Amino acid sequence: MKTDFPDTAPPISPSLTAGAGALTVRMVGTGCYVPERIMTNAEMETIVDTSEEWILTRTGISERRIARSGQATSDLAASAARQALDAAGVAAAEVDLIVTATISPDMLMPSTACFVQSQLGASAATCFDLEAACSGFLYSLEVARHLLLAGRMRTALVIGAEKLSAFTDWDDRNTCVLFGDGAGAVVLRAEPATAPARGILSSVTGSDGDLAHLLTLPGGGSRFPASGETLAGRMHYLKMTGREVFKHAVRCMAEAANGALEQCGFTVADVDWIVPHQANLRIIQAIGQRLNVPMDRFYMNLEHYGNMSAASIPVALDEAVRNEKIRPGDVVLMVAFGGGFTWGATVMRW
Ligand code: ACO
């Protein structure tokens, strides 16, 4: 599960590091976008056999955002990215890399990142999508960080964006109450390392494909190409064995958090804020118990947005930065779990 990547890497590109020592990678701007349309738990009662009380007590979710029919994931992503670029004071032309984490791409091909590039006019960027479900944003951060540390690129846009409402089975009360749409983005920059270390300090990622069947979106790929049968079988929607996912999510996120902290020589006592994947309040409470961390150190917004998969962490992070919960110098631990199964944890000093 652990990847023992060093905190900093030796300089490779003289143009980036002339006279400087090792590089570090910092988030220099954050942004988010959520659709205007709010769907409350009361409205859910009119769609499936559920109750406001069941949804709130079993998940902690009160409402979620739903994108317009003409809006695609890249539209949400580009709005979040523009905000992040503004916050960073970075022009789109300076972006060398765009990684979009998503399980709800505009199309199977081309990548959503390429559509984002076009909307932003970031013509110099190399663009691709990364699919690791709810862990996608942390996986993407890790990939982008190492491309920057390799010295070949200086500025990256990492985006988590989802229009899950397009892949939600609105007849299935087990899943439709959980998900929402939105996008979050960060601008990463390679900079000379400082002491004390700032930016991303450590990261672990892991996967367990033996449990892939517990969380799937089965139709429309090469295993089950779109057909009358896949449509009739509702195979183009998310399927989840919730109880099993819950159990593994708690264990894997707690272990990943400890692994990332250990890698940079910290303990939970050093952490100012934990920004977890926002799937279920009870999962976050169980992680708090395992890590022995009080709930007021978790930044949460799932009450208002539900589970936005890869977008959950960057949206929460942007909110926490904008409302000055996260302040310069704070140690932030981000931790995620999702389909695959996949998981990850990242520690950074803001
Ligand atoms: N309203 C009313 N009743 C419901 C609803 C609903 N919306 N949904 C399920 N129920 C019922 C079930 O049918 C079941 O009834 P039964 O006992 O008669 O069969 C009962 O409630 C309890 O069901 P459980 O599955 O045990 O409920 P649980 O407490 O586990 O909560 C939940 C379900 C919210 C899905 C939870 O298991 C969960 O959060 N799982 C993890 C989700 C997650 O973390 N996903 C991560 C990644 S998502 C991604 O990668 C895209």
Side-chain angles (χ1 to χ4, degrees):
M1 178 178 101
K2 274 195 234 166
T3 46
D4 285 326
F5 293 124
D7 179 11
T8 54
I12 292 175
S13 161
S15 63
L16 280 176
T17 59
L23 293 173
T24 191
V25 171
R26 279 210 313 126
M27 281 184 195
V28 294
T30 65
C32 82
Y33 169 80
V34 290
E36 293 70 29
R37 159 108 159 84
I38 297 173
M39 184 183 278
T40 62
N41 287 350
E43 188 176 350
M44 277 290 172
E45 285 183 348
T46 68
I47 299 173
V48 284
D49 177 18
T50 189
S51 68
E52 284 190 75
E53 198 255 336
W54 190 97
I55 303 170
L56 190 60
T57 54
R58 304 309 291 167
T59 70
I61 299 165
S62 293
E63 58 192 27
R64 68 289 293 149
R65 299 299 179 103
I66 304 293
R68 294 189 302 275
S69 63
Q71 245 175 344
T73 295
S74 66
D75 302 324
L76 316 186
S79 296
R82 279 190 201 98
Q83 257 200 29
L85 289 169
D86 278 355
V90 168
E94 295 175 70
V95 175
D96 302 307
L97 173 70
I98 300 175
V99 186
T100 302
T102 187
I103 55 168
S104 48
D106 289 25
M107 301 178 186
L108 272 180
M109 191 274 289
S111 70
T112 300
C114 282
F115 288 121
V116 173
Q117 174 190 34
S118 172
Q119 289 202 37
L120 297 178
S123 53
T126 296
C127 306
F128 61 90
D129 287 358
L130 191 150
E131 204 274 71
C134 304
S135 313
F137 177 73
L138 295 189
Y139 268 56
S140 299
L141 268 189
E142 187 60 352
V143 170
R145 175 166 79 112
H146 283 279
L147 285 169
L148 298 187
L149 287 177
R152 302 173 68 89
M153 297 170 169
R154 181 165 182 242
T155 305
L157 201 42
V158 177
I159 306 167
E162 304 285 8
K163 185 183 175 183
L164 293 177
S165 59
F167 300 93
T168 297
D169 186 345
W170 293 100
D171 283 349
D172 178 13
R173 70 174 185 173
N174 290 293
T175 53
C176 73
V177 300
L178 304 174
F179 300 111
D181 300 336
V186 299
V187 179
L188 294 185
R189 257 223 159 129
E191 294 180 348
T194 54
R198 298 274 304 270
I200 298 175
L201 305 177
S202 68
S203 174
V204 298
T205 49
S207 313
D208 184 354
D210 289 343
L211 298 173
H213 58 282
L214 294 173
L215 186 41
T216 60
L217 208 168
S222 59
R223 179 72 64 193
F224 303 110
S227 68
E229 273 170 36
T230 61
L231 276 179
R234 307 188 77 75
M235 289 170 72
H236 299 272
Y237 298 124
L238 276 161
K239 316 272 178 204
M240 180 165 72
T241 312
R243 219 173 287 183
E244 281 298 302
V245 175
F246 190 113
K247 212 170 59 190
H248 290 285
V250 173
R251 179 179 56 80
C252 293
M253 283 203 273
E255 287 177 10
N258 281 327
L261 288 169
E262 198 182 307
Q263 199 184 93
C264 59
F266 286 174
T267 70
V268 281
D270 298 307
V271 175
D272 296 291
W273 284 103
I274 301 179
V275 182
H277 174 49
Q278 314 273 319
N280 187 318
L281 176 61
R282 291 184 299 132
I283 292 178
I284 298 171
Q285 286 167 337
I287 294 167
Q289 275 169 10
R290 284 206 181 200
L291 296 178
N292 203 15
V293 176
M295 289 311 287
D296 62 8
R297 267 202 278 154
F298 286 87
Y299 188 85
M300 287 182 287
N301 61 7
L302 84 167
E303 185 183 354
H304 298 297
Y305 303 125
N307 180 351
M308 297 183 288
S309 191
S312 278
I313 288 182
V315 169
L317 185 67
D318 179 57
E319 270 191 17
V321 168
R322 278 175 201 273
N323 63 27
E324 296 185 341
K325 295 276 187 202
I326 294 177
R327 293 166 175 275
D330 279 357
V331 172
V332 179
L333 166 67
M334 297 172 285
V335 60
F337 179 86
F341 286 153
T342 55
W343 55 87
T346 301
V347 180
M348 66 178 172
R349 194 190 301 276
W350 190 250

